[in-house]
Amino acid sequence: MTDTLRIALAQLNPKVGAVADNLAAARRALAEAEAAGADILMFTELYLTGYFPEDLLFKRQFVTEAMEAAKALARDTKGLNVSVLLPTIWSAGGKLYNSVILAEDGAIIDRRNKVELPNDDIFYEKRYFTPGELPEPVTIKGICVGVPICEDVWHEPVCEKLAEKGAEILLCPNGSPYWRNKQRVRLDLVRQRVRETGLPILYSNQVGGQDELVFDGASFGINTDGSLAFQGKSFVDDMVISDWEKTEAGWRCAKGHVTELVPVNEAPWHAAMLGLRDYVHKNGFKSVVLGLSGGIDSAVVAALAVDALGAENVHCVMLPYRYTSEASLRDAKRCAETLGVRYDIVSIGAPVDAVNENLAPLFAGREPDITEENLQSRMRGTILMAISNKLGSLLITTGNKSEMAVGYATIYGDMNGAYNPIKDMLKTQVYELAKWRNGYQPTDVLGPAGIVIPPEVIEKAPSAELRPDQTDQDSLPPYPVLDAIISDLVEEEMSAAEVVARGFDPELVKRVERLIYISEFKRRQAAPGPKLTPKAFGIGRKYPITNGYRDGSIAR
């Protein structure tokens, strides 16, 4: 038995399904931990498969390969001092478990299974896994160590059981995705478990983008008095090492580095940037292309793309028509020059006019309307897809959450694209982040310092410019009002009456609610984007497309 421990948390960025690549990175982390003199190395939840592998878990060969990789890493501990806690899928007795194996000196010497399987808006582990029994601690270097797995620490029973069975310290591997203020929520939750058990908790968390989720890392430890023992980096890989000593009052961190969390108002930028970078790179692309309209949304997406990928990997295209203003042409060009990206102008005039001419006999006797407006957007989408196909860049789209909520977007037009980094940002949040990025350059970006989004873009009234003198407020209420109603109806799931009670016009609330419901078919066909809020469109919000429900809490 020892009275000191050096514990390493491998906060890494796995790729779901890339078992061999993840194993290679795990081996590098193992060598680093051994060289640092670590007694224990813990990886994050389901590290070798990446979290979360979804229906890959139904493939027997995938399960076999993942288990073989876990056994291979266990063999790599032969002759090493470090003990390894490796979260992995594990099949036993015809059942599949979300497990952690303990490997020492070349062998798997123990295993624990996750008890609390989430079945919520983004994770549905009960579809795949069998829950484990309430666990007992494992013994590492003569110390009783409890290993609650992710969701296990969000509820009392597992940690309570481990404390009753003699655990001296709790090590918790996680795959906990980011959304607004989530880092503070985790800290408060773990402190609650510490108070209940009287045991310190080390919380390791995955980092990286996976489709619509972004994992922010920020692994941490909490002492028995509730103080922060250490804090890992946010949104980047980190090997988080801390030293612990046994005192009369139990285990306490003797040495640990605290990295400040990314401020709450800045975190969405980091999350969107990481989500975009990993989506591009993990899917085998190097560069992106997007339409740059001279408006705020495309300017912010362009800046995000440059920060994530570098200016040399971002291609912006202005696609003007007769309604495109000189100000938009000027602002788009200035934005591209400021960011240092390739910038091309491809007029949609001739192809749009040709389509209108060909459709004229069919539309005879009918006045121009939204049909002709949508043709402009769809021509832009078609041209951008052609550029993507020919040049091999991933097309990214630029619609914000406000527009996606009420359907103020053209399907098969400006919605074209493989990924949307601002999909979960309300319009007002887009403006806030634009102003923030102009005044601050984060340390982990590839983009320039200083003004990256021309002030004129931020200051002018937003417009789709599909008809003369058009502004968004011709069709929508002012964005501060619209965003507040959307937040209440979507993120808070308030009734219409509750929203009206907050001071909003009943007819406007009913209108916005209707638009949200009837636009579901567009959102089902929209590009994925990073979840930044507790309730994002796409993953985490599942409403029917064919939907006859309307809130009856206010008169209609």
Side-chain angles (χ1 to χ4, degrees):
M1 184 179 296
T2 180
D3 58 3
T4 62
L5 286 172
R6 175 164 288 181
I7 302 175
L9 307 182
Q11 179 180 296
L12 304 179
N13 185 345
K15 179 179 178 180
V16 164
V19 175
D21 291 342
N22 297 338
L23 174 59
R27 284 172 163 152
R28 293 191 292 270
L30 176 60
E32 183 180 350
E34 178 71 8
D39 297 299
I40 302 173
L41 168 64
M42 179 168 67
F43 291 89
T44 55
E45 185 175 17
L46 295 188
Y47 172 74
L48 290 176
T49 62
Y51 193 81
F52 188 68
E54 301 187 81
D55 280 10
L56 283 173
L57 294 169
F58 290 139
K59 285 192 170 292
R60 292 184 294 276
Q61 181 62 25
F62 177 72
V63 173
T64 298
E65 291 180 19
M67 291 178 63
E68 288 302 316
K71 294 172 184 176
L73 190 67
R75 289 192 294 271
D76 289 347
T77 64
K78 183 70 175 177
L80 303 183
N81 169 69
V82 66
S83 302
V84 173
L85 288 169
L86 176 65
T88 180
I89 55 177
W90 202 263
S91 180
K95 297 177 180 179
L96 190 64
Y97 297 94
N98 182 337
S99 301
V100 171
I101 60 172
L102 171 60
E104 291 180 348
D105 197 25
I108 297 173
I109 64 169
D110 218 333
R111 176 170 58 88
R112 293 294 180 266
N113 301 321
K114 188 173 184 177
V115 178
E116 303 284 356
L117 302 179
N119 190 41
D120 52 30
D121 58 348
I122 55 174
F123 296 128
Y124 28 92
E125 291 192 21
K126 291 182 180 180
R127 175 177 170 86
Y128 311 102
F129 296 123
T130 297
E133 301 293 331
L134 284 173
E136 298 200 5
V138 297
T139 302
I140 306 176
K141 307 290 192 287
I143 308 301
C144 286
V145 177
V147 190
I149 303 172
C150 197
E151 190 79 8
D152 289 344
V153 84
W154 290 77
H155 307 274
E156 293 184 29
V158 171
C159 293
E160 182 181 45
K161 175 76 170 184
L162 290 166
E164 289 175 357
K165 291 296 182 177
E168 302 172 52
I169 189 169
L170 302 180
L171 274 63
C172 180
N174 293 267
S176 178
Y178 165 84
W179 56 75
R180 187 177 56 234
N181 209 36
K182 184 72 172 291
Q183 294 176 329
R184 300 293 178 185
V185 171
R186 293 190 201 111
L187 285 165
D188 291 345
L189 182 279
V190 170
R191 284 192 171 102
Q192 182 178 337
R193 294 288 93 83
V194 169
R195 285 194 299 270
E196 294 165 355
T197 62
L199 301 176
I201 297 179
L202 287 77
Y203 183 107
S204 67
N205 192 32
Q206 179 174 311
V207 70
Q210 173 58 36
D211 297 343
E212 294 176 274
L213 297 178
V214 176
F215 298 88
D216 54 300
S219 303
F220 63 92
I222 301 293
N223 284 306
T224 53
D225 62 1
S227 62
L228 186 64
F230 64 84
Q231 179 84 64
K233 298 175 182 177
S234 301
F235 299 105
V236 294
D237 290 19
D238 200 5
M239 178 64 79
V240 189
I241 298 177
S242 57
D243 292 335
W244 294 75
E245 60 184 12
K246 191 171 185 178
T247 69
E248 291 183 359
W251 287 90
R252 183 170 182 84
C253 185
K255 183 180 180 181
H257 179 72
V258 175
T259 302
E260 292 297 322
L261 292 173
V262 173
V264 172
N265 66 316
E266 299 178 16
W269 188 275
H270 291 267
M273 186 174 62
L274 178 57
L276 173 60
R277 180 192 298 131
D278 277 357
Y279 191 89
V280 171
H281 290 164
K282 289 181 180 181
N283 284 291
F285 290 85
K286 181 182 178 182
S287 59
V288 297
V289 61
L290 68 144
L292 192 64
S293 68
I296 185 67
D297 295 323
S298 62
V300 166
V301 170
L304 272 168
V306 170
D307 277 356
L309 304 169
E312 69 278 10
N313 294 312
V314 180
H315 181 188
C316 292
V317 184
M318 159 59 88
L319 301 122
Y321 190 54
R322 66 185 62 163
Y323 306 125
T324 303
S325 68
E326 287 299 320
S328 291
L329 288 164
R330 180 193 66 235
D331 293 341
K333 184 173 185 289
R334 186 175 299 168
C335 182
E337 289 175 344
T338 300
L339 292 171
V341 301
R342 175 179 174 180
Y343 177 67
D344 290 301
I345 298 176
V346 180
S347 173
I348 65 169
V352 169
D353 291 345
V355 172
N356 281 327
E357 183 179 344
N358 284 325
L359 288 172
L362 187 63
F363 292 170
R366 297 176 184 269
E367 291 297 317
D369 57 15
I370 194 172
T371 306
E372 286 74 18
E373 295 180 17
N374 286 343
L375 272 175
Q376 299 167 51
S377 180
R378 291 189 173 115
M379 187 57 65
R380 291 185 173 109
T382 297
I383 291 171
L384 287 169
M385 279 303 308
I387 294 170
S388 173
N389 292 161
K390 183 64 71 174
L391 302 184
S393 296
L394 187 80
L395 176 60
I396 55 176
T397 185
T398 63
N400 60 69
K401 188 174 186 176
S402 307
E403 294 170 350
M404 295 308 301
V406 297
Y408 194 65
T410 305
I411 195 167
Y412 321 126
D414 59 321
M415 288 175 62
N416 277 9
Y419 194 77
N420 180 357
I422 64 168
K423 181 179 181 178
D424 200 25
M425 289 186 198
L426 294 167
K427 187 79 167 190
T428 49
Q429 294 167 336
V430 174
Y431 279 109
E432 289 168 3
L433 282 172
K435 295 173 184 176
W436 166 80
R437 181 59 181 88
N438 273 352
Y440 179 73
Q441 182 190 32
T443 57
D444 58 341
V445 304
L446 299 175
I451 302 295
V452 295
I453 299 165
E456 295 86 351
V457 173
I458 298 174
E459 294 164 3
K460 70 182 179 183
S463 171
E465 294 192 328
L466 299 175
R467 62 177 182 267
D469 302 317
Q470 181 185 20
T471 69
D472 288 5
Q473 268 56 71
D474 296 339
S475 305
L476 301 173
Y479 278 114
V481 174
L482 177 63
D483 287 357
I485 295 173
I486 291 171
S487 180
D488 288 346
L489 291 174
V490 175
E491 295 181 13
E492 302 299 329
E493 295 287 8
M494 287 185 182
S495 69
E498 289 173 318
V499 180
V500 170
R502 297 188 65 236
F504 296 105
D505 176 70
E507 292 305 313
L508 178 59
V509 172
K510 286 189 287 186
R511 179 184 167 215
V512 172
E513 181 209 33
R514 176 181 175 275
L515 289 172
I516 290 172
Y517 283 147
I518 67 173
S519 300
E520 186 63 32
F521 81 100
K522 290 186 179 181
R523 293 190 291 269
R524 290 287 186 93
Q525 300 178 69
K531 177 180 170 67
L532 306 174
T533 65
K535 188 69 71 172
F537 292 126
I539 190 168
R541 187 179 187 274
K542 305 183 188 302
Y543 271 69
I545 296 173
T546 305
N547 177 12
Y549 176 74
R550 298 295 181 269
D551 191 318
S553 63
I554 57 176
R556 293 185 181 272

Short mmCIF file of all heavy atoms in Angstrom, two decimals, residues 481-528:
data_model
loop_
_atom_site.label_atom_id
_atom_site.label_comp_id
_atom_site.label_asym_id
_atom_site.label_seq_id
_atom_site.Cartn_x
_atom_site.Cartn_y
_atom_site.Cartn_z
N VAL A 481 -36.71 40.25 -30.03
CA VAL A 481 -38.03 39.74 -29.64
C VAL A 481 -38.20 38.29 -30.11
O VAL A 481 -38.60 37.41 -29.34
CB VAL A 481 -39.14 40.62 -30.24
CG1 VAL A 481 -40.52 40.02 -29.96
CG2 VAL A 481 -39.04 42.03 -29.69
N LEU A 482 -37.88 38.04 -31.37
CA LEU A 482 -38.02 36.70 -31.92
C LEU A 482 -37.18 35.69 -31.14
O LEU A 482 -37.65 34.60 -30.79
CB LEU A 482 -37.61 36.69 -33.39
CG LEU A 482 -37.64 35.33 -34.09
CD1 LEU A 482 -39.05 34.76 -34.13
CD2 LEU A 482 -37.07 35.44 -35.50
N ASP A 483 -35.94 36.06 -30.86
CA ASP A 483 -35.04 35.12 -30.18
C ASP A 483 -35.52 34.80 -28.77
O ASP A 483 -35.38 33.67 -28.30
CB ASP A 483 -33.62 35.70 -30.13
CG ASP A 483 -32.94 35.65 -31.48
OD1 ASP A 483 -33.54 35.11 -32.43
OD2 ASP A 483 -31.80 36.14 -31.59
N ALA A 484 -36.07 35.79 -28.09
CA ALA A 484 -36.59 35.54 -26.74
C ALA A 484 -37.76 34.56 -26.78
O ALA A 484 -37.86 33.65 -25.95
CB ALA A 484 -37.02 36.85 -26.09
N ILE A 485 -38.64 34.72 -27.77
CA ILE A 485 -39.78 33.80 -27.90
C ILE A 485 -39.31 32.40 -28.28
O ILE A 485 -39.78 31.39 -27.73
CB ILE A 485 -40.79 34.35 -28.93
CG1 ILE A 485 -41.39 35.66 -28.44
CG2 ILE A 485 -41.90 33.32 -29.20
CD1 ILE A 485 -42.28 36.36 -29.46
N ILE A 486 -38.37 32.31 -29.22
CA ILE A 486 -37.83 31.01 -29.62
C ILE A 486 -37.18 30.32 -28.43
O ILE A 486 -37.38 29.12 -28.19
CB ILE A 486 -36.82 31.17 -30.77
CG1 ILE A 486 -37.54 31.59 -32.04
CG2 ILE A 486 -36.05 29.87 -30.99
CD1 ILE A 486 -36.59 32.00 -33.16
N SER A 487 -36.40 31.07 -27.67
CA SER A 487 -35.74 30.50 -26.50
C SER A 487 -36.76 29.94 -25.51
O SER A 487 -36.60 28.84 -24.98
CB SER A 487 -34.87 31.56 -25.82
OG SER A 487 -34.23 31.03 -24.68
N ASP A 488 -37.84 30.69 -25.30
CA ASP A 488 -38.87 30.23 -24.36
C ASP A 488 -39.59 28.98 -24.88
O ASP A 488 -39.81 28.02 -24.14
CB ASP A 488 -39.89 31.34 -24.13
CG ASP A 488 -39.34 32.48 -23.28
OD1 ASP A 488 -38.28 32.30 -22.66
OD2 ASP A 488 -39.97 33.55 -23.26
N LEU A 489 -39.96 28.98 -26.17
CA LEU A 489 -40.74 27.87 -26.72
C LEU A 489 -39.89 26.63 -26.96
O LEU A 489 -40.36 25.50 -26.75
CB LEU A 489 -41.40 28.30 -28.03
CG LEU A 489 -42.52 29.34 -27.94
CD1 LEU A 489 -42.96 29.74 -29.34
CD2 LEU A 489 -43.71 28.79 -27.15
N VAL A 490 -38.66 26.81 -27.39
CA VAL A 490 -37.82 25.68 -27.79
C VAL A 490 -36.92 25.22 -26.67
O VAL A 490 -36.92 24.04 -26.29
CB VAL A 490 -36.98 26.04 -29.03
CG1 VAL A 490 -36.01 24.91 -29.38
CG2 VAL A 490 -37.88 26.33 -30.22
N GLU A 491 -36.13 26.12 -26.12
CA GLU A 491 -35.16 25.71 -25.11
C GLU A 491 -35.79 25.49 -23.75
O GLU A 491 -35.36 24.60 -23.00
CB GLU A 491 -34.04 26.75 -25.03
CG GLU A 491 -33.22 26.85 -26.33
CD GLU A 491 -32.09 27.85 -26.24
OE1 GLU A 491 -31.78 28.30 -25.12
OE2 GLU A 491 -31.51 28.19 -27.29
N GLU A 492 -36.80 26.27 -23.42
CA GLU A 492 -37.46 26.13 -22.11
C GLU A 492 -38.74 25.31 -22.18
O GLU A 492 -39.31 24.98 -21.14
CB GLU A 492 -37.76 27.52 -21.53
CG GLU A 492 -36.53 28.42 -21.36
CD GLU A 492 -35.49 27.83 -20.42
OE1 GLU A 492 -35.87 27.11 -19.49
OE2 GLU A 492 -34.28 28.08 -20.63
N GLU A 493 -39.22 25.00 -23.38
CA GLU A 493 -40.46 24.24 -23.58
C GLU A 493 -41.64 24.87 -22.83
O GLU A 493 -42.49 24.19 -22.28
CB GLU A 493 -40.28 22.78 -23.14
CG GLU A 493 -39.28 22.00 -23.97
CD GLU A 493 -39.79 21.63 -25.37
OE1 GLU A 493 -40.86 22.11 -25.77
OE2 GLU A 493 -39.09 20.86 -26.04
N MET A 494 -41.68 26.20 -22.81
CA MET A 494 -42.78 26.90 -22.15
C MET A 494 -44.06 26.76 -22.96
O MET A 494 -44.04 26.56 -24.17
CB MET A 494 -42.46 28.39 -22.00
CG MET A 494 -41.43 28.73 -20.97
SD MET A 494 -41.28 30.55 -20.82
CE MET A 494 -39.97 30.67 -19.61
N SER A 495 -45.19 26.87 -22.27
CA SER A 495 -46.47 26.96 -22.97
C SER A 495 -46.60 28.35 -23.57
O SER A 495 -45.91 29.30 -23.17
CB SER A 495 -47.63 26.71 -22.00
OG SER A 495 -47.75 27.79 -21.08
N ALA A 496 -47.50 28.49 -24.53
CA ALA A 496 -47.74 29.79 -25.14
C ALA A 496 -48.19 30.81 -24.09
O ALA A 496 -47.78 31.97 -24.12
CB ALA A 496 -48.78 29.68 -26.25
N ALA A 497 -49.01 30.36 -23.16
CA ALA A 497 -49.50 31.27 -22.11
C ALA A 497 -48.35 31.77 -21.24
O ALA A 497 -48.34 32.94 -20.83
CB ALA A 497 -50.55 30.56 -21.26
N GLU A 498 -47.41 30.90 -20.94
CA GLU A 498 -46.27 31.31 -20.13
C GLU A 498 -45.42 32.35 -20.87
O GLU A 498 -44.91 33.29 -20.27
CB GLU A 498 -45.41 30.10 -19.78
CG GLU A 498 -46.06 29.16 -18.76
CD GLU A 498 -45.26 27.88 -18.55
OE1 GLU A 498 -44.78 27.31 -19.56
OE2 GLU A 498 -45.12 27.46 -17.40
N VAL A 499 -45.29 32.19 -22.18
CA VAL A 499 -44.52 33.16 -22.96
C VAL A 499 -45.26 34.50 -23.00
O VAL A 499 -44.65 35.56 -22.82
CB VAL A 499 -44.28 32.63 -24.39
CG1 VAL A 499 -43.49 33.66 -25.21
CG2 VAL A 499 -43.53 31.30 -24.36
N VAL A 500 -46.57 34.45 -23.20
CA VAL A 500 -47.36 35.68 -23.21
C VAL A 500 -47.27 36.39 -21.86
O VAL A 500 -47.18 37.62 -21.79
CB VAL A 500 -48.83 35.37 -23.57
CG1 VAL A 500 -49.72 36.59 -23.34
CG2 VAL A 500 -48.93 34.90 -25.02
N ALA A 501 -47.24 35.61 -20.79
CA ALA A 501 -47.16 36.19 -19.44
C ALA A 501 -45.86 36.94 -19.22
O ALA A 501 -45.77 37.78 -18.32
CB ALA A 501 -47.32 35.09 -18.39
N ARG A 502 -44.86 36.69 -20.06
CA ARG A 502 -43.59 37.39 -19.96
C ARG A 502 -43.61 38.71 -20.74
O ARG A 502 -42.59 39.38 -20.84
CB ARG A 502 -42.45 36.51 -20.45
CG ARG A 502 -42.25 35.25 -19.61
CD ARG A 502 -41.00 34.49 -20.01
NE ARG A 502 -39.81 35.26 -19.73
CZ ARG A 502 -38.87 35.58 -20.61
NH1 ARG A 502 -39.02 35.21 -21.88
NH2 ARG A 502 -37.81 36.26 -20.26
N GLY A 503 -44.79 39.04 -21.29
CA GLY A 503 -44.96 40.35 -21.91
C GLY A 503 -45.00 40.36 -23.42
O GLY A 503 -44.99 41.44 -24.03
N PHE A 504 -45.11 39.20 -24.05
CA PHE A 504 -45.13 39.14 -25.51
C PHE A 504 -46.56 39.11 -26.05
O PHE A 504 -47.47 38.58 -25.40
CB PHE A 504 -44.35 37.92 -26.00
CG PHE A 504 -42.89 37.97 -25.68
CD1 PHE A 504 -42.37 37.19 -24.66
CD2 PHE A 504 -42.04 38.83 -26.37
CE1 PHE A 504 -41.02 37.25 -24.34
CE2 PHE A 504 -40.69 38.89 -26.05
CZ PHE A 504 -40.17 38.10 -25.02
N ASP A 505 -46.73 39.67 -27.23
CA ASP A 505 -48.04 39.74 -27.87
C ASP A 505 -48.58 38.35 -28.16
O ASP A 505 -47.88 37.52 -28.77
CB ASP A 505 -47.92 40.54 -29.16
CG ASP A 505 -49.23 40.57 -29.93
OD1 ASP A 505 -50.16 41.24 -29.46
OD2 ASP A 505 -49.30 39.91 -30.99
N PRO A 506 -49.80 38.04 -27.77
CA PRO A 506 -50.35 36.68 -27.99
C PRO A 506 -50.36 36.27 -29.45
O PRO A 506 -50.05 35.12 -29.78
CB PRO A 506 -51.77 36.78 -27.42
CG PRO A 506 -51.71 37.89 -26.43
CD PRO A 506 -50.72 38.88 -26.98
N GLU A 507 -50.74 37.19 -30.34
CA GLU A 507 -50.79 36.83 -31.76
C GLU A 507 -49.39 36.52 -32.31
O GLU A 507 -49.22 35.62 -33.13
CB GLU A 507 -51.44 37.95 -32.57
CG GLU A 507 -52.92 38.14 -32.27
CD GLU A 507 -53.72 36.85 -32.47
OE1 GLU A 507 -53.52 36.19 -33.52
OE2 GLU A 507 -54.51 36.51 -31.58
N LEU A 508 -48.40 37.25 -31.84
CA LEU A 508 -47.03 37.00 -32.28
C LEU A 508 -46.54 35.65 -31.76
O LEU A 508 -45.90 34.89 -32.49
CB LEU A 508 -46.11 38.12 -31.80
CG LEU A 508 -44.63 37.95 -32.15
CD1 LEU A 508 -44.42 37.83 -33.65
CD2 LEU A 508 -43.82 39.12 -31.58
N VAL A 509 -46.85 35.34 -30.52
CA VAL A 509 -46.44 34.05 -29.94
C VAL A 509 -47.07 32.91 -30.72
O VAL A 509 -46.40 31.91 -31.05
CB VAL A 509 -46.81 33.97 -28.45
CG1 VAL A 509 -46.57 32.57 -27.91
CG2 VAL A 509 -46.01 35.00 -27.64
N LYS A 510 -48.37 33.04 -31.05
CA LYS A 510 -49.04 31.99 -31.82
C LYS A 510 -48.40 31.85 -33.21
O LYS A 510 -48.23 30.74 -33.71
CB LYS A 510 -50.53 32.31 -31.95
CG LYS A 510 -51.31 32.08 -30.66
CD LYS A 510 -52.81 32.19 -30.86
CE LYS A 510 -53.25 33.63 -31.07
NZ LYS A 510 -54.73 33.74 -31.13
N ARG A 511 -48.06 32.97 -33.80
CA ARG A 511 -47.44 32.93 -35.14
C ARG A 511 -46.08 32.23 -35.10
O ARG A 511 -45.77 31.38 -35.94
CB ARG A 511 -47.30 34.35 -35.66
CG ARG A 511 -46.64 34.41 -37.04
CD ARG A 511 -46.43 35.84 -37.48
NE ARG A 511 -45.54 35.90 -38.63
CZ ARG A 511 -44.66 36.87 -38.84
NH1 ARG A 511 -44.57 37.87 -37.97
NH2 ARG A 511 -43.88 36.85 -39.89
N VAL A 512 -45.27 32.60 -34.12
CA VAL A 512 -43.94 31.99 -34.01
C VAL A 512 -44.06 30.50 -33.72
O VAL A 512 -43.35 29.67 -34.31
CB VAL A 512 -43.10 32.70 -32.94
CG1 VAL A 512 -41.80 31.94 -32.69
CG2 VAL A 512 -42.81 34.13 -33.36
N GLU A 513 -44.98 30.13 -32.84
CA GLU A 513 -45.17 28.71 -32.53
C GLU A 513 -45.57 27.94 -33.80
O GLU A 513 -45.03 26.85 -34.07
CB GLU A 513 -46.27 28.54 -31.47
CG GLU A 513 -46.51 27.08 -31.10
CD GLU A 513 -47.93 26.81 -30.64
OE1 GLU A 513 -48.87 27.48 -31.16
OE2 GLU A 513 -48.11 25.91 -29.80
N ARG A 514 -46.47 28.50 -34.58
CA ARG A 514 -46.90 27.84 -35.82
C ARG A 514 -45.72 27.67 -36.78
O ARG A 514 -45.52 26.61 -37.37
CB ARG A 514 -48.02 28.64 -36.48
CG ARG A 514 -48.46 28.07 -37.83
CD ARG A 514 -49.56 28.92 -38.47
NE ARG A 514 -49.88 28.40 -39.80
CZ ARG A 514 -49.20 28.73 -40.91
NH1 ARG A 514 -48.17 29.59 -40.83
NH2 ARG A 514 -49.54 28.21 -42.09
N LEU A 515 -44.94 28.74 -36.95
CA LEU A 515 -43.79 28.66 -37.85
C LEU A 515 -42.80 27.60 -37.40
O LEU A 515 -42.21 26.88 -38.23
CB LEU A 515 -43.11 30.03 -37.94
CG LEU A 515 -43.88 31.13 -38.68
CD1 LEU A 515 -43.17 32.48 -38.52
CD2 LEU A 515 -44.03 30.78 -40.16
N ILE A 516 -42.58 27.50 -36.10
CA ILE A 516 -41.67 26.48 -35.59
C ILE A 516 -42.17 25.08 -35.96
O ILE A 516 -41.40 24.24 -36.44
CB ILE A 516 -41.51 26.61 -34.05
CG1 ILE A 516 -40.71 27.88 -33.71
CG2 ILE A 516 -40.80 25.38 -33.47
CD1 ILE A 516 -40.67 28.20 -32.23
N TYR A 517 -43.45 24.83 -35.76
CA TYR A 517 -44.00 23.50 -36.04
C TYR A 517 -43.98 23.17 -37.53
O TYR A 517 -43.60 22.07 -37.93
CB TYR A 517 -45.42 23.39 -35.50
CG TYR A 517 -45.50 23.18 -34.00
CD1 TYR A 517 -46.56 23.72 -33.27
CD2 TYR A 517 -44.55 22.44 -33.33
CE1 TYR A 517 -46.64 23.52 -31.89
CE2 TYR A 517 -44.63 22.25 -31.96
CZ TYR A 517 -45.67 22.79 -31.24
OH TYR A 517 -45.75 22.59 -29.89
N ILE A 518 -44.38 24.12 -38.38
CA ILE A 518 -44.50 23.78 -39.80
C ILE A 518 -43.14 23.76 -40.51
O ILE A 518 -43.06 23.30 -41.66
CB ILE A 518 -45.46 24.75 -40.55
CG1 ILE A 518 -44.88 26.16 -40.60
CG2 ILE A 518 -46.84 24.73 -39.91
CD1 ILE A 518 -45.69 27.12 -41.46
N SER A 519 -42.09 24.20 -39.84
CA SER A 519 -40.76 24.20 -40.44
C SER A 519 -39.96 22.95 -40.09
O SER A 519 -38.79 22.85 -40.49
CB SER A 519 -39.98 25.45 -39.99
OG SER A 519 -40.64 26.62 -40.39
N GLU A 520 -40.56 22.02 -39.39
CA GLU A 520 -39.82 20.82 -38.98
C GLU A 520 -39.29 20.05 -40.19
O GLU A 520 -38.19 19.48 -40.14
CB GLU A 520 -40.72 19.92 -38.13
CG GLU A 520 -40.00 18.71 -37.54
CD GLU A 520 -38.89 19.07 -36.59
OE1 GLU A 520 -39.00 20.10 -35.90
OE2 GLU A 520 -37.89 18.31 -36.53
N PHE A 521 -40.04 20.03 -41.30
CA PHE A 521 -39.59 19.27 -42.46
C PHE A 521 -38.28 19.83 -43.02
O PHE A 521 -37.45 19.09 -43.54
CB PHE A 521 -40.68 19.26 -43.55
CG PHE A 521 -40.73 20.49 -44.40
CD1 PHE A 521 -40.17 20.50 -45.67
CD2 PHE A 521 -41.35 21.65 -43.95
CE1 PHE A 521 -40.22 21.63 -46.47
CE2 PHE A 521 -41.40 22.78 -44.74
CZ PHE A 521 -40.84 22.78 -46.01
N LYS A 522 -38.09 21.14 -42.91
CA LYS A 522 -36.82 21.73 -43.35
C LYS A 522 -35.69 21.32 -42.42
O LYS A 522 -34.59 20.97 -42.88
CB LYS A 522 -36.93 23.26 -43.38
CG LYS A 522 -37.83 23.83 -44.45
CD LYS A 522 -37.73 25.36 -44.48
CE LYS A 522 -38.61 25.95 -45.56
NZ LYS A 522 -38.50 27.43 -45.61
N ARG A 523 -35.95 21.38 -41.13
CA ARG A 523 -34.88 21.06 -40.18
C ARG A 523 -34.44 19.62 -40.28
O ARG A 523 -33.27 19.30 -40.06
CB ARG A 523 -35.34 21.40 -38.76
CG ARG A 523 -35.52 22.89 -38.52
CD ARG A 523 -35.72 23.20 -37.06
NE ARG A 523 -37.00 22.72 -36.56
CZ ARG A 523 -38.11 23.43 -36.55
NH1 ARG A 523 -38.12 24.66 -37.03
NH2 ARG A 523 -39.24 22.92 -36.07
N ARG A 524 -35.37 18.71 -40.63
CA ARG A 524 -34.99 17.30 -40.79
C ARG A 524 -34.00 17.12 -41.93
O ARG A 524 -33.27 16.14 -41.97
CB ARG A 524 -36.23 16.44 -41.05
CG ARG A 524 -37.15 16.28 -39.87
CD ARG A 524 -36.57 15.34 -38.81
NE ARG A 524 -37.55 15.11 -37.76
CZ ARG A 524 -38.40 14.09 -37.75
NH1 ARG A 524 -38.35 13.19 -38.72
NH2 ARG A 524 -39.28 13.96 -36.78
N GLN A 525 -34.02 18.04 -42.89
CA GLN A 525 -33.14 17.93 -44.05
C GLN A 525 -31.97 18.91 -43.99
O GLN A 525 -31.24 19.09 -44.96
CB GLN A 525 -33.95 18.17 -45.34
CG GLN A 525 -35.07 17.16 -45.52
CD GLN A 525 -35.90 17.44 -46.75
OE1 GLN A 525 -35.43 17.28 -47.88
NE2 GLN A 525 -37.14 17.86 -46.55
N ALA A 526 -31.80 19.53 -42.84
CA ALA A 526 -30.74 20.53 -42.68
C ALA A 526 -29.41 19.86 -42.35
O ALA A 526 -29.35 18.74 -41.83
CB ALA A 526 -31.12 21.52 -41.58
N ALA A 527 -28.33 20.57 -42.62
CA ALA A 527 -27.00 20.09 -42.30
C ALA A 527 -26.84 19.98 -40.79
O ALA A 527 -27.44 20.74 -40.04
CB ALA A 527 -25.94 21.04 -42.87
N PRO A 528 -26.01 19.04 -40.34
CA PRO A 528 -25.71 18.98 -38.90
C PRO A 528 -24.87 20.17 -38.48
O PRO A 528 -24.21 20.83 -39.30
CB PRO A 528 -24.92 17.68 -38.76
CG PRO A 528 -24.28 17.48 -40.10
CD PRO A 528 -25.28 18.01 -41.10
#
